[in-house]
Amino acid sequence: MSDIADYWQNFIDGAFVDGGAGRLAVLEPATGAHLANQAIADKADVDRAVAAAQRLSSSGAWSGLRPVERGRIVRKMGEYILERIDDIAPILTREAGKPLWEARLEIEGAARYFEYYGNQAETMEGRSIPLGDGYFDFTVHEPFGVSAQIIPWNYPMEMTARSVSAALAVGCACVVKTPELDPLTNRFFADAALACGLPAGALNLICGFGKDAGAALAAHPDVDQIVFTGSVPTGVSIATAAAQNVVPCVLELGGKSAAIVHDDADLDAFLSDVRWGIYFNAGQVCSAMSRVIVQEKVHDKLVDGIVAVAEALRVDDGLALPEFGANMGAMISEAQCARAAGMVSDAEREGAQVAAGGRRLNRPGYFLEPTVLTDVSPDMMVAQNEVFGPVLSVLSFSDDDEAVRIANGTTYGLVAGVYSSQLDRAMRASKKLRAGQVFVNEWYAGGVETPFGGFGKSGYGREKGREALLNYVQTKNVAIKVG
Ligand code: NAI
Ligand code: MG
């Protein structure tokens, strides 16, 4: 076990600083015990961080660099993180509760964002638009300036990396509000910034409570653009703050995503996706496969297989789970665990059957058994609302149109999956599914390269892929009258 410093500071204008709101205790989800203290920002800290970002932004010291130079620094930050994976992973496991191998995957994913967007820095080219004789016209993509990023606790490093790397690549400066439940490992981005030559003010990392530092950042008049991942109600308040300042925001607000399994699907392949789809990160994934909609004919057989997957998972302290395998860690907090367990009890009262799991483990920490609910109907609360835990709801359908209707029958629309050995059948479904990403025959198919974001209440704007770069720039058209 690595030693963990007792006190972790915020990072403003290239320096580590205390927080005006004092210190917060970060707990270990696997035990509930105290792990470390984190500096907590107040409104004055937010002001200082935004001012530093704005100063750097208007100096041109970052945005004015040749893109290849910016790209190299961004890529180097990813390499820096990856080189320290052995030091960072145990801390991420201890603050977030995930198995050590999942922590390592998250760190690799974070580094990958810096690689991908570092490589994209040189690609933000404008175009020339013909206006006939007498004119020359061209467009440029100018960085917005100060990008405010409010980060959730489910992937604290990967979510920060996702928005910071793209924003930096195009020349923005960032103020990141780290998640108060697991803020510690974000510190390594500050170390990377210092080590890799990122100018002071280009990346500021402040931890604070959502209603205080988070709300102050979202409403700050000098913020030019906002990125948020989290719950729908918080997304609404951030969009409202953005509207007051007339700045754009990207909202990624989770989902109730469904996998449609047809009777001609490869059921064994699907079952290995269940392990990832709903039990990865203990189900605390915005694009989790939280519903399975299975064709009646194969329902019972598939449920047997899903229950076997769930029951095979060993649930334990993430530090005791170094290797990929049939295992799962703790949930992030008492509140999230109690809420998920409560939603399982509510579902039972509504008539669902608990086919596997359903209970909290009888030990300290925030552990919920891998859970499978059957006899779920589309109107039940558990079929409509995000659990954000290791709870899979199984529903059934008879014909293809009904499957799509059920899949589309929530207010969300983040991702969806369709499993069938007939490509035309899968393509018909993928056309009708209201979701920003559709997975055919493999949940989570895609990567950093593929655009990701929601339909409906899952939000708007796209992260990942080349699309995400457009979040951080505004287009300027220059039209020249030539003699
Ligand atoms: P939340 O949306 O309240 O928190 C996410 C982030 O927003 C945190 O950094 C928090 O400090 C910040 N925040 C909270 N209130 C704010 C405000 N008024 N202004 C600015 N920032 C604010 O989510 P919470 O309460 O942690 O979890 C509740 C539910 O939200 C979960 O059960 C899950 O359903 C959903 N969620 C979805 C996530 C996703 O990946 N889409 C991530 C986290 C939560
Ligand atoms: Mg909240």
Side-chain angles (χ1 to χ4, degrees):
M1 197 189 306
S2 62
D3 286 329
I4 293 190
D6 179 59
Y7 176 48
W8 299 63
Q9 289 173 299
N10 291 327
F11 183 68
I12 298 177
D13 206 10
F16 289 101
V17 295
D18 293 336
R23 297 177 182 201
L24 159 91
V26 178
L27 307 181
E28 230 173 311
T31 59
H34 177 90
L35 177 61
N37 294 298
Q38 166 70 46
I40 282 289
D42 64 5
K43 192 175 172 309
D45 294 320
V46 171
D47 289 343
R48 268 192 289 277
V50 172
Q54 203 188 31
R55 240 182 349 262
L56 188 267
S57 226
S58 45
S59 77
W62 181 241
S63 58
L65 283 185
R66 193 165 176 134
V68 65
E69 299 294 341
R70 270 204 314 271
R72 279 179 188 145
I73 291 175
V74 171
R75 281 209 315 265
K76 244 185 359 195
M77 289 176 68
E79 289 158 14
Y80 179 97
I81 295 290
L82 205 52
E83 282 160 11
R84 282 155 188 80
I85 190 168
D86 293 339
D87 300 329
I88 304 171
I91 305 175
L92 181 54
T93 282
R94 293 185 70 185
E95 70 171 338
K98 57 188 72 190
L100 201 53
W101 64 268
E102 288 197 29
R104 294 182 72 90
L105 274 187
E106 175 171 352
I107 295 160
E108 285 163 8
R112 172 76 179 112
Y113 279 109
F114 284 90
E115 176 184 47
Y116 178 77
Y117 285 112
N119 285 337
Q120 300 290 332
E122 293 187 80
T123 68
M124 289 307 285
E125 294 167 346
R127 61 193 176 114
S128 167
I129 300 168
L131 291 177
D133 285 346
Y135 296 95
F136 178 66
D137 187 284
F138 64 95
T139 65
V140 285
H141 295 300
E142 291 191 353
F144 259 111
V146 178
S147 170
Q149 305 176 1
I150 296 169
I151 307 298
W153 43 262
N154 55 338
Y155 288 96
M157 290 196 77
E158 220 172 328
M159 296 299 93
T160 297
R162 181 167 83 179
S163 40
V164 161
S165 60
L168 290 178
V170 300
C172 283
C174 306
V175 179
V176 175
K177 208 293 280 172
T178 63
E180 61 270 39
L181 289 169
D182 50 10
L184 306 180
T185 44
N186 262 262
R187 143 79 189 235
F188 293 96
F189 295 121
D191 291 342
L194 290 173
C196 302
L198 193 72
L203 176 61
N204 304 275
L205 297 151
I206 51 176
C207 186
F209 294 108
K211 62 179 174 40
D212 304 327
L217 179 59
H220 201 292
D222 296 329
V223 161
D224 299 302
Q225 182 268 352
I226 305 174
V227 180
F228 172 71
T229 301
S231 65
V232 175
T234 301
V236 169
S237 58
I238 284 168
T240 304
Q244 295 292 337
N245 288 324
V246 197
V247 298
C249 56
V250 177
L251 299 178
E252 203 266 84
L253 308 180
K256 192 72 204 180
S257 303
I260 297 173
V261 183
H262 290 284
D263 55 9
D264 59 4
D266 177 342
L267 298 188
D268 289 334
F270 175 74
L271 289 175
S272 86
D273 282 12
V274 167
R275 188 261 169 277
W276 287 100
I278 189 64
Y279 301 123
F280 188 49
N281 209 29
Q284 301 164 120
V285 182
C286 44
S287 48
M289 182 205 286
S290 53
R291 292 182 295 156
V292 170
I293 307 170
V294 54
Q295 198 149 17
E296 280 160 354
K297 212 166 96 191
V298 290
H299 174 275
D300 293 356
K301 186 173 173 214
L302 194 73
V303 165
D304 288 348
I306 293 172
V307 166
V309 168
E311 290 183 340
L313 292 175
R314 168 182 160 208
V315 183
D316 208 341
D317 183 331
L319 288 177
L321 306 172
E323 305 289 342
F324 164 74
N327 57 58
M328 193 180 86
M331 294 184 67
I332 188 69
S333 67
E334 173 59 32
Q336 288 295 124
C337 189
R339 177 176 172 276
M343 288 179 78
V344 172
S345 314
D346 291 346
E348 270 189 284
R349 270 193 293 280
E350 280 190 289
Q353 302 293 318
V354 179
R359 289 164 307 180
R360 296 188 60 167
L361 297 195
N362 185 18
R363 60 183 274 184
Y366 320 128
F367 295 98
L368 180 64
E369 290 175 330
T371 300
V372 179
L373 298 174
T374 57
D375 298 289
V376 175
S377 59
D379 54 339
M380 285 183 189
M381 279 182 323
V382 77
Q384 289 292 324
N385 300 316
E386 185 171 53
V387 177
F388 224 63
V391 179
L392 177 64
S393 295
V394 183
L395 300 90
S396 66
F397 73 93
S398 53
D399 69 75
D400 295 18
D401 285 345
E402 184 189 7
V404 169
R405 224 171 24 246
I406 296 170
N408 287 344
T410 75
T411 57
Y412 288 110
L414 192 54
V415 305
V418 50
Y419 291 75
S420 168
S421 56
Q422 296 175 55
L423 192 56
D424 53 353
R425 198 175 193 187
M427 290 313 295
R428 275 197 300 275
S430 73
K431 191 155 192 310
K432 291 183 198 150
L433 284 164
R434 286 183 36 78
Q437 281 199 341
V438 177
F439 306 130
V440 177
N441 291 336
E442 186 188 87
W443 199 264
Y444 294 140
V448 173
E449 308 90 331
T450 49
F452 174 74
F455 281 33
K457 290 221 163 59
S458 289
Y460 46 73
R462 293 293 177 264
E463 307 257 30
K464 300 185 173 180
R466 291 196 24 86
E467 279 76 0
L469 294 166
L470 300 174
N471 296 330
Y472 305 99
V473 294
Q474 45 195 343
T475 302
K476 179 183 279 177
N477 188 81
V478 180
I480 307 169
K481 173 91 177 90
V482 286

